[in-house]
Amino acid sequence: MVKRTPLIAGNWKMNFDHLRSIAFVQKLGWTLKDAKHSSAEVEVVVFPPFTDLRSVQTTISSDKIDLRFGAQDLSPFDSGAHTGDISGEFLAKLECSYVIIGHSERRQDHHETDEVVTAKTLAAVKHGLVPVICVGETSEDLEKFGAAAVPVGQLRHVLEALPADAEIVVAYEPVWAIGSGQAATPQQAQDVCAALRATIAEVLGADQAAATRVLYGGSVKAQNIATFMREPDVDGALVGGASMDIDEFSAIVRFPQHVTTV
Ligand code: PGA
């Protein structure tokens, strides 16, 4: 069976200017080093705002910090008359490894449809960035359709357009759990993550499904991460609020040390 390296991702959203991002990344680097963190055991990725990316890139490279980083969005286009947009080509030049696509805040604030999310995912793959495709249901969806139907439909739309060998990460983020302090239960997360993996198997094949990391996101904290990571289909977490606190985020990254005791 393929071993999926757990992935802990910190989505800073619209927080931290570039000066704070430098201090944060340096401190996170020291903290993880002191804790003897190894990225072979748990991969850690931060997602700063666009204006911080160059600073984060140079800090990570000059201080040799064991961290990867990505952007929170990208344009579906490569270049041209798209004022305010950022091309995947630029992100790749900045050594971004990942890019978040279709976060519920973008689906809401910028009316991003499944078509837009699909076009952005294709752009990411084209430029060698690993898309972190976010899917999730609102509380109204949950009541009407149950937990899995909406996220599975959102994911299927993207997968059907993808080359079968594209590396992707999927993040299940129930909208009602984001920033609410009310996380899904580990069982709810497991059920939807398993349904998402089954969809990957159906559309892209069993090997892709076995290799793809499926994350849970929504009010993840140091105190609940271990309960999610015990679930067989949860391969990591997309963390918002708690990713901006060094102690909290590094405790989340160190979940293997408390996975059996919580
Ligand atoms: P939260 O955000 O951890 O603050 O709930 C998660 C996210 O939006 O990715």
Side-chain angles (χ1 to χ4, degrees):
M1 211 179 119
V2 193
K3 186 183 171 302
R4 297 186 294 268
T5 306
L7 173 61
I8 301 294
N11 174 13
W12 296 357
K13 310 192 179 186
M14 198 172 71
N15 295 292
F16 292 172
D17 60 28
H18 73 287
L19 297 173
R20 285 194 66 189
S21 80
I22 294 170
F24 187 91
V25 158
Q26 283 177 326
K27 191 150 183 241
L28 181 61
W30 300 328
T31 307
L32 294 179
K33 201 170 176 193
D34 281 352
K36 307 221 172 344
H37 167 75
S38 148
S39 55
E41 196 190 353
V42 178
E43 187 180 351
V44 186
V45 185
V46 292
F47 290 90
F50 285 131
T51 48
D52 299 4
L53 287 172
R54 174 69 175 153
S55 306
V56 167
Q57 177 206 17
T58 52
T59 307
I60 285 178
S61 120
S62 62
D63 294 7
K64 299 192 176 41
I65 300 173
D66 191 13
L67 259 187
R68 300 175 92 187
F69 63 96
Q72 298 174 14
D73 182 40
L74 88 172
S75 169
F77 305 105
D78 291 347
S79 63
H82 304 286
T83 303
D85 284 355
I86 301 291
S87 164
E89 193 183 327
F90 307 161
L91 299 177
K93 283 247 169 72
L94 278 173
E95 298 172 349
C96 285
S97 307
Y98 293 89
V99 58
I100 295 175
I101 298 177
H103 190 281
S104 65
E105 287 152 16
R106 293 209 60 89
R107 291 182 193 258
Q108 257 163 26
D109 297 356
H110 300 271
H111 313 291
E112 289 193 5
T113 59
D114 288 340
E115 285 71 29
V116 170
V117 172
T118 301
K120 289 185 170 189
T121 304
L122 288 171
V125 170
K126 175 178 174 185
H127 293 293
L129 303 159
V130 177
V132 178
I133 305 161
C134 298
V135 295
E137 81 288 357
T138 62
S139 48
E140 294 80 47
D141 295 334
L142 181 64
E143 236 171 69
K144 260 206 224 156
F145 311 111
V150 167
V152 162
Q154 290 171 333
L155 183 62
R156 182 182 295 278
H157 195 286
V158 179
L159 296 181
E160 282 173 350
L162 272 186
D165 59 349
E167 183 184 352
I168 58 169
V169 171
V170 175
Y172 167 52
E173 295 208 307
V175 180
W176 47 268
I178 295 176
S180 66
Q182 220 199 344
T185 65
Q187 190 61 52
Q188 281 172 317
Q190 163 59 23
D191 290 349
V192 180
C193 289
L196 294 170
R197 195 179 306 286
T199 309
I200 301 170
E202 210 184 292
V203 183
L204 299 181
D207 290 352
Q208 264 291 66
T212 299
R213 288 172 296 181
V214 181
L215 316 181
Y216 166 75
S219 298
V220 170
K221 306 264 183 298
Q223 165 244 333
N224 62 19
I225 181 67
T227 62
F228 290 111
M229 296 309 295
R230 275 203 287 259
E231 299 296 338
D233 283 295
V234 179
D235 303 313
L238 182 53
V239 186
S243 75
M244 290 175 292
D245 179 305
I246 297 271
D247 293 337
E248 185 76 14
F249 190 56
S250 46
I252 292 173
V253 169
R254 294 197 313 270
F255 75 85
Q257 292 165 23
H258 47 113
V259 78
T260 49
T261 54
V262 173

